[in-house]
């Protein structure tokens, strides 16, 4: 009977479960934030890339020069 009473009063398992739930919630929040941040960065870099491509007269991959003209 004493063992059953000790088992019911022991809260170490409940504490471990609570910490596990908190860690899971924090992980989900971080994943959500990083996903949103990644989408925003992608949009920003696309905008910058498009702007730079328009400013140089087109997107040539940075290989403009006399490479195709004869010698």
């Amino acid at each position: 009977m004493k063992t059953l009473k000790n088992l019911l009063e022991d809260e170490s398992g409940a504490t471990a479960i609570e910490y596990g739930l908190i860690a899971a919630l924090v992980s989900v929040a971080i994943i959500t934030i990083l996903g949103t941040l990644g989408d925003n960065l992608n949009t920003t870099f696309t905008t910058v890339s498009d702007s730079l491509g328009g400013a140089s007269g087109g997107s040539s991959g940075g290989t403009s020069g006399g490479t195709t003209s004869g010698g």
Side-chain angles (χ1 to χ4, degrees):
M1 193 65 172
K2 187 175 182 180
T3 304
L4 182 59
K5 184 178 179 182
N6 287 340
L7 183 62
L8 291 175
E9 291 177 357
D10 186 17
E11 295 183 4
S12 61
T15 303
I17 290 173
E18 289 171 356
Y19 282 128
L21 289 173
I22 291 170
L25 289 173
V26 168
S27 299
V28 168
I30 289 173
I31 289 169
T32 303
I33 290 169
L34 289 178
T36 303
L37 182 64
D39 291 342
N40 290 342
L41 282 175
N42 189 21
T43 302
T44 301
F45 282 122
T46 301
T47 303
V48 169
S49 175
D50 291 344
S51 297
L52 291 175
S56 66
S59 176
S60 63
T63 59
S64 62
T67 58
T68 58
S69 62

